[in-house]
PDB file of all heavy atoms in Angstrom:
ATOM      1  N   SER A  41     -10.726  22.508 -50.253  1.00 91.00           N
ATOM      2  CA  SER A  41     -10.388  23.505 -51.280  1.00 91.00           C
ATOM      3  C   SER A  41      -9.694  22.884 -52.479  1.00 91.00           C
ATOM      4  O   SER A  41      -9.601  23.516 -53.522  1.00 91.00           O
ATOM      5  CB  SER A  41      -9.555  24.665 -50.735  1.00 91.00           C
ATOM      6  OG  SER A  41      -9.163  24.469 -49.434  1.00 91.00           O
ATOM      7  N   GLN A  48     -12.426  19.499 -61.854  1.00 90.00           N
ATOM      8  CA  GLN A  48     -12.189  20.108 -63.159  1.00 90.00           C
ATOM      9  C   GLN A  48     -11.157  19.315 -63.956  1.00 90.00           C
ATOM     10  O   GLN A  48     -11.312  19.083 -65.146  1.00 90.00           O
ATOM     11  CB  GLN A  48     -11.734  21.561 -62.955  1.00 90.00           C
ATOM     12  CG  GLN A  48     -11.726  22.390 -64.213  1.00 90.00           C
ATOM     13  CD  GLN A  48     -13.106  22.555 -64.806  1.00 90.00           C
ATOM     14  OE1 GLN A  48     -14.095  22.658 -64.073  1.00 90.00           O
ATOM     15  NE2 GLN A  48     -13.190  22.546 -66.117  1.00 90.00           N
ATOM     16  N   ARG A  55     -12.965  14.343 -71.013  1.00 81.00           N
ATOM     17  CA  ARG A  55     -13.323  14.963 -72.278  1.00 81.00           C
ATOM     18  C   ARG A  55     -12.292  14.613 -73.350  1.00 81.00           C
ATOM     19  O   ARG A  55     -12.639  14.302 -74.482  1.00 81.00           O
ATOM     20  CB  ARG A  55     -13.368  16.485 -72.080  1.00 81.00           C
ATOM     21  CG  ARG A  55     -14.535  17.127 -72.768  1.00 81.00           C
ATOM     22  CD  ARG A  55     -14.815  18.471 -72.165  1.00 81.00           C
ATOM     23  NE  ARG A  55     -16.045  18.454 -71.393  1.00 81.00           N
ATOM     24  CZ  ARG A  55     -16.339  19.351 -70.468  1.00 81.00           C
ATOM     25  NH1 ARG A  55     -15.492  20.306 -70.175  1.00 81.00           N
ATOM     26  NH2 ARG A  55     -17.481  19.290 -69.833  1.00 81.00           N
ATOM     27  N   GLU A 202     -20.636  19.844 -75.953  1.00 61.00           N
ATOM     28  CA  GLU A 202     -20.321  20.946 -76.848  1.00 61.00           C
ATOM     29  C   GLU A 202     -19.191  20.526 -77.768  1.00 61.00           C
ATOM     30  O   GLU A 202     -18.413  19.649 -77.441  1.00 61.00           O
ATOM     31  CB  GLU A 202     -19.884  22.175 -76.046  1.00 61.00           C
ATOM     32  CG  GLU A 202     -21.024  22.747 -75.215  1.00 61.00           C
ATOM     33  CD  GLU A 202     -20.595  23.961 -74.407  1.00 61.00           C
ATOM     34  OE1 GLU A 202     -20.311  24.986 -75.038  1.00 61.00           O
ATOM     35  OE2 GLU A 202     -20.527  23.878 -73.183  1.00 61.00           O
ATOM     36  N   TYR A 204     -15.859  21.099 -78.863  1.00 82.00           N
ATOM     37  CA  TYR A 204     -14.724  21.864 -78.372  1.00 82.00           C
ATOM     38  C   TYR A 204     -13.653  22.080 -79.426  1.00 82.00           C
ATOM     39  O   TYR A 204     -13.389  21.212 -80.244  1.00 82.00           O
ATOM     40  CB  TYR A 204     -14.078  21.153 -77.178  1.00 82.00           C
ATOM     41  CG  TYR A 204     -14.829  21.370 -75.897  1.00 82.00           C
ATOM     42  CD1 TYR A 204     -15.835  20.508 -75.495  1.00 82.00           C
ATOM     43  CD2 TYR A 204     -14.528  22.470 -75.089  1.00 82.00           C
ATOM     44  CE1 TYR A 204     -16.529  20.717 -74.324  1.00 82.00           C
ATOM     45  CE2 TYR A 204     -15.214  22.685 -73.918  1.00 82.00           C
ATOM     46  CZ  TYR A 204     -16.216  21.802 -73.540  1.00 82.00           C
ATOM     47  OH  TYR A 204     -16.889  22.025 -72.385  1.00 82.00           O
ATOM     48  N   ILE A 205     -13.056  23.278 -79.355  1.00 85.00           N
ATOM     49  CA  ILE A 205     -11.832  23.512 -80.107  1.00 85.00           C
ATOM     50  C   ILE A 205     -10.702  23.101 -79.176  1.00 85.00           C
ATOM     51  O   ILE A 205     -10.681  23.515 -78.019  1.00 85.00           O
ATOM     52  CB  ILE A 205     -11.668  25.024 -80.435  1.00 85.00           C
ATOM     53  CG1 ILE A 205     -12.880  25.545 -81.192  1.00 85.00           C
ATOM     54  CG2 ILE A 205     -10.380  25.271 -81.184  1.00 85.00           C
ATOM     55  CD1 ILE A 205     -12.905  27.066 -81.292  1.00 85.00           C
ATOM     56  N   GLU A 207      -6.744  23.318 -78.407  1.00 81.00           N
ATOM     57  CA  GLU A 207      -5.570  24.063 -78.828  1.00 81.00           C
ATOM     58  C   GLU A 207      -4.435  23.877 -77.838  1.00 81.00           C
ATOM     59  O   GLU A 207      -4.596  24.275 -76.678  1.00 81.00           O
ATOM     60  CB  GLU A 207      -5.915  25.549 -78.934  1.00 81.00           C
ATOM     61  CG  GLU A 207      -4.811  26.367 -79.554  1.00 81.00           C
ATOM     62  CD  GLU A 207      -5.059  27.844 -79.407  1.00 81.00           C
ATOM     63  OE1 GLU A 207      -6.026  28.329 -79.988  1.00 81.00           O
ATOM     64  OE2 GLU A 207      -4.284  28.485 -78.683  1.00 81.00           O
ATOM     65  N   LEU A 217      -1.654  17.305 -69.724  1.00 89.00           N
ATOM     66  CA  LEU A 217      -2.615  17.135 -68.630  1.00 89.00           C
ATOM     67  C   LEU A 217      -2.279  15.938 -67.742  1.00 89.00           C
ATOM     68  O   LEU A 217      -2.394  16.020 -66.502  1.00 89.00           O
ATOM     69  CB  LEU A 217      -4.020  16.949 -69.236  1.00 89.00           C
ATOM     70  CG  LEU A 217      -5.203  17.065 -68.286  1.00 89.00           C
ATOM     71  CD1 LEU A 217      -5.290  18.457 -67.711  1.00 89.00           C
ATOM     72  CD2 LEU A 217      -6.497  16.721 -69.012  1.00 89.00           C
ATOM     73  N   ARG A 220       0.062  16.262 -64.790  1.00 91.00           N
ATOM     74  CA  ARG A 220      -0.555  17.081 -63.742  1.00 91.00           C
ATOM     75  C   ARG A 220      -1.566  16.264 -62.933  1.00 91.00           C
ATOM     76  O   ARG A 220      -1.756  16.494 -61.745  1.00 91.00           O
ATOM     77  CB  ARG A 220      -1.229  18.305 -64.350  1.00 91.00           C
ATOM     78  CG  ARG A 220      -0.210  19.345 -64.733  1.00 91.00           C
ATOM     79  CD  ARG A 220      -0.779  20.453 -65.568  1.00 91.00           C
ATOM     80  NE  ARG A 220       0.280  21.091 -66.319  1.00 91.00           N
ATOM     81  CZ  ARG A 220       0.945  22.164 -65.892  1.00 91.00           C
ATOM     82  NH1 ARG A 220       0.650  22.715 -64.747  1.00 91.00           N
ATOM     83  NH2 ARG A 220       1.893  22.696 -66.620  1.00 91.00           N
ATOM     84  N   ASN A 223       0.607  14.429 -60.503  1.00 93.00           N
ATOM     85  CA  ASN A 223       0.993  15.369 -59.434  1.00 93.00           C
ATOM     86  C   ASN A 223      -0.126  15.513 -58.423  1.00 93.00           C
ATOM     87  O   ASN A 223       0.095  15.505 -57.217  1.00 93.00           O
ATOM     88  CB  ASN A 223       1.247  16.774 -60.001  1.00 93.00           C
ATOM     89  CG  ASN A 223       2.503  16.844 -60.841  1.00 93.00           C
ATOM     90  OD1 ASN A 223       3.237  15.871 -60.943  1.00 93.00           O
ATOM     91  ND2 ASN A 223       2.733  17.980 -61.447  1.00 93.00           N
TER      92      ASN A 223
ATOM     93  N   PRO B  12      -4.742  23.912 -56.983  1.00 91.00           N
ATOM     94  CA  PRO B  12      -4.906  22.812 -56.026  1.00 91.00           C
ATOM     95  C   PRO B  12      -5.157  23.307 -54.599  1.00 91.00           C
ATOM     96  O   PRO B  12      -5.710  22.587 -53.778  1.00 91.00           O
ATOM     97  CB  PRO B  12      -3.574  22.062 -56.106  1.00 91.00           C
ATOM     98  CG  PRO B  12      -3.000  22.424 -57.407  1.00 91.00           C
ATOM     99  CD  PRO B  12      -3.467  23.801 -57.705  1.00 91.00           C
ATOM    100  N   ALA B  13      -4.745  24.516 -54.299  1.00 88.00           N
ATOM    101  CA  ALA B  13      -4.884  25.006 -52.933  1.00 88.00           C
ATOM    102  C   ALA B  13      -6.205  25.718 -52.698  1.00 88.00           C
ATOM    103  O   ALA B  13      -6.698  25.764 -51.575  1.00 88.00           O
ATOM    104  CB  ALA B  13      -3.728  25.931 -52.591  1.00 88.00           C
ATOM    105  N   ALA B  41     -16.599  27.228 -77.581  1.00 89.00           N
ATOM    106  CA  ALA B  41     -16.115  26.258 -76.601  1.00 89.00           C
ATOM    107  C   ALA B  41     -14.713  25.803 -76.980  1.00 89.00           C
ATOM    108  O   ALA B  41     -14.426  25.535 -78.139  1.00 89.00           O
ATOM    109  CB  ALA B  41     -17.055  25.062 -76.542  1.00 89.00           C
ATOM    110  N   MET B  42     -13.838  25.755 -75.972  1.00 90.00           N
ATOM    111  CA  MET B  42     -12.442  25.487 -76.282  1.00 90.00           C
ATOM    112  C   MET B  42     -11.734  24.918 -75.058  1.00 90.00           C
ATOM    113  O   MET B  42     -12.070  25.244 -73.932  1.00 90.00           O
ATOM    114  CB  MET B  42     -11.774  26.799 -76.695  1.00 90.00           C
ATOM    115  CG  MET B  42     -10.277  26.711 -76.888  1.00 90.00           C
ATOM    116  SD  MET B  42      -9.587  28.264 -77.464  1.00 90.00           S
ATOM    117  CE  MET B  42      -9.500  29.168 -75.945  1.00 90.00           C
ATOM    118  N   VAL B  43     -10.761  24.053 -75.311  1.00 90.00           N
ATOM    119  CA  VAL B  43      -9.835  23.646 -74.261  1.00 90.00           C
ATOM    120  C   VAL B  43      -8.441  23.984 -74.768  1.00 90.00           C
ATOM    121  O   VAL B  43      -8.091  23.617 -75.885  1.00 90.00           O
ATOM    122  CB  VAL B  43      -9.921  22.132 -73.976  1.00 90.00           C
ATOM    123  CG1 VAL B  43      -8.881  21.742 -72.938  1.00 90.00           C
ATOM    124  CG2 VAL B  43     -11.312  21.757 -73.480  1.00 90.00           C
ATOM    125  N   ALA B  44      -7.687  24.726 -73.971  1.00 92.00           N
ATOM    126  CA  ALA B  44      -6.350  25.113 -74.408  1.00 92.00           C
ATOM    127  C   ALA B  44      -5.375  24.943 -73.262  1.00 92.00           C
ATOM    128  O   ALA B  44      -5.759  25.033 -72.091  1.00 92.00           O
ATOM    129  CB  ALA B  44      -6.345  26.567 -74.882  1.00 92.00           C
ATOM    130  N   SER B  45      -4.128  24.697 -73.589  1.00 92.00           N
ATOM    131  CA  SER B  45      -3.129  24.607 -72.529  1.00 92.00           C
ATOM    132  C   SER B  45      -2.387  25.937 -72.418  1.00 92.00           C
ATOM    133  O   SER B  45      -2.274  26.688 -73.387  1.00 92.00           O
ATOM    134  CB  SER B  45      -2.162  23.458 -72.793  1.00 92.00           C
ATOM    135  OG  SER B  45      -1.387  23.741 -73.925  1.00 92.00           O
ATOM    136  N   PHE B  68      -4.407  24.992 -67.779  1.00 93.00           N
ATOM    137  CA  PHE B  68      -5.368  24.791 -68.854  1.00 93.00           C
ATOM    138  C   PHE B  68      -6.512  25.789 -68.739  1.00 93.00           C
ATOM    139  O   PHE B  68      -6.842  26.241 -67.650  1.00 93.00           O
ATOM    140  CB  PHE B  68      -5.942  23.374 -68.787  1.00 93.00           C
ATOM    141  CG  PHE B  68      -4.883  22.342 -68.867  1.00 93.00           C
ATOM    142  CD1 PHE B  68      -4.267  21.880 -67.722  1.00 93.00           C
ATOM    143  CD2 PHE B  68      -4.444  21.888 -70.094  1.00 93.00           C
ATOM    144  CE1 PHE B  68      -3.239  20.962 -67.795  1.00 93.00           C
ATOM    145  CE2 PHE B  68      -3.417  20.974 -70.179  1.00 93.00           C
ATOM    146  CZ  PHE B  68      -2.814  20.511 -69.025  1.00 93.00           C
ATOM    147  N   GLU B  70     -10.554  26.163 -69.932  1.00 92.00           N
ATOM    148  CA  GLU B  70     -11.702  25.578 -70.598  1.00 92.00           C
ATOM    149  C   GLU B  70     -12.749  26.661 -70.778  1.00 92.00           C
ATOM    150  O   GLU B  70     -13.149  27.315 -69.814  1.00 92.00           O
ATOM    151  CB  GLU B  70     -12.287  24.435 -69.764  1.00 92.00           C
ATOM    152  CG  GLU B  70     -13.417  23.767 -70.504  1.00 92.00           C
ATOM    153  CD  GLU B  70     -14.119  22.710 -69.671  1.00 92.00           C
ATOM    154  OE1 GLU B  70     -13.441  21.994 -68.951  1.00 92.00           O
ATOM    155  OE2 GLU B  70     -15.351  22.639 -69.779  1.00 92.00           O
ATOM    156  N   SER B  73     -20.094  27.143 -72.576  1.00 87.00           N
ATOM    157  CA  SER B  73     -21.221  28.081 -72.520  1.00 87.00           C
ATOM    158  C   SER B  73     -21.488  28.524 -71.078  1.00 87.00           C
ATOM    159  O   SER B  73     -22.096  29.551 -70.835  1.00 87.00           O
ATOM    160  CB  SER B  73     -22.461  27.435 -73.127  1.00 87.00           C
ATOM    161  OG  SER B  73     -22.681  26.192 -72.499  1.00 87.00           O
ATOM    162  N   GLU B  81      -1.627  24.994 -61.782  1.00 88.00           N
ATOM    163  CA  GLU B  81      -0.975  24.424 -60.603  1.00 88.00           C
ATOM    164  C   GLU B  81      -0.527  25.537 -59.667  1.00 88.00           C
ATOM    165  O   GLU B  81      -0.600  25.413 -58.454  1.00 88.00           O
ATOM    166  CB  GLU B  81       0.198  23.528 -61.011  1.00 88.00           C
ATOM    167  CG  GLU B  81      -0.303  22.173 -61.437  1.00 88.00           C
ATOM    168  CD  GLU B  81       0.788  21.127 -61.556  1.00 88.00           C
ATOM    169  OE1 GLU B  81       1.969  21.477 -61.479  1.00 88.00           O
ATOM    170  OE2 GLU B  81       0.424  19.955 -61.729  1.00 88.00           O
TER     171      GLU B  81
END
Side-chain angles (χ1 to χ4, degrees):
Chain A
S41 7
Q48 192 63 35
R55 222 160 251 160
E202 293 180 68
Y204 281 91
I205 304 168
E207 188 191 295
L217 193 64
R220 284 169 202 267
N223 290 356
Chain B
M42 173 177 80
V43 177
S45 67
F68 302 89
E70 184 185 321
S73 53
E81 280 193 351

